[in-house]
Amino acid sequence: MSRREEYEQQTESLLEPIVSGMGFELVDVEYVKEGGTWYLRAYIDKPGGITVDDCEAVSRQFSDVLDEKDYIEDSYVFEVSSPGLGRPLKKEKDFKRSIGEEVEIRTYRAVARQKEFVGILQRYDDRTVTIVYEDGEEQTFDRSDIALIRLALDF
């Protein structure tokens, strides 16, 4: 396991009770480097959506835990955010909640000369994801070939 993954897992385990205790859902945690700066980001959600005040409340409460535990060696910026409209599907609960919803899939390598697919999430398991297109045709992808799967944005 990489150092990044360890930081994400430890953050998730420490943050989950705080977030759920406030009535929110912890959607994801990421530790990423952008423009030379490390960011520790927590994505939270609730029915009806997250407000800036919700993010601030979680950030304030968890900052004390981060200071106390001090398990991240690098200097970093801690952020709490909403997952946004096109939230990625990463966990079992994300897939379960999204059955019957329109999703966008991006693959690492081209499949039939394309890398982006949009369809209704039909089913999934540990190894595959199946979508159905408007014409009723189904396509199954190996999860190892999927770079990103998220709810599709319709404007």
Side-chain angles (χ1 to χ4, degrees), residues 2 58 112:
S2 73
V58 170

Side-chain angles (χ1 to χ4, degrees), residues 47-107:
I50 288 293
T51 67
V52 172
D53 291 340
D54 296 334
C55 293
E56 185 180 335
V58 170
S59 179
R60 191 174 301 118
Q61 195 164 344
F62 191 62
S63 288
D64 294 339
V65 174
L66 284 171
D67 290 343
E68 177 189 323
K69 300 293 184 185
D70 196 27
Y71 57 91
I72 298 177
E73 296 170 19
D74 312 302
S75 64
Y76 61 93
V77 175
F78 177 59
E79 297 179 341
V80 179
S81 177
S82 161
L85 295 174
R87 71 191 273 178
L89 309 183
K90 293 187 173 187
K91 300 178 180 175
E92 169 78 15
K93 64 184 176 183
D94 300 328
F95 283 92
K96 185 180 276 188
R97 175 182 27 229
S98 300
I99 290 287
E101 298 287 332
E102 189 174 49
V103 296
E104 173 186 324
I105 293 177
R106 291 188 189 157
T107 56

Side-chain angles (χ1 to χ4, degrees), residues 12 16 19 23-28 43-50 82-103 119-125 143 149-152:
E12 196 167 320
E16 177 63 42
V19 171
F24 307 142
E25 173 193 358
L26 181 59
V27 174
D28 195 18
Y43 295 95
I44 60 173
D45 207 0
K46 70 177 181 189
I50 288 293
S82 161
L85 295 174
R87 71 191 273 178
L89 309 183
K90 293 187 173 187
K91 300 178 180 175
E92 169 78 15
K93 64 184 176 183
D94 300 328
F95 283 92
K96 185 180 276 188
R97 175 182 27 229
S98 300
I99 290 287
E101 298 287 332
E102 189 174 49
V103 296
I120 304 298
L121 180 60
Q122 192 72 24
R123 63 186 165 277
Y124 67 93
D125 59 34
R143 285 178 77 162
I149 180 169
R150 67 180 179 187
L151 293 177

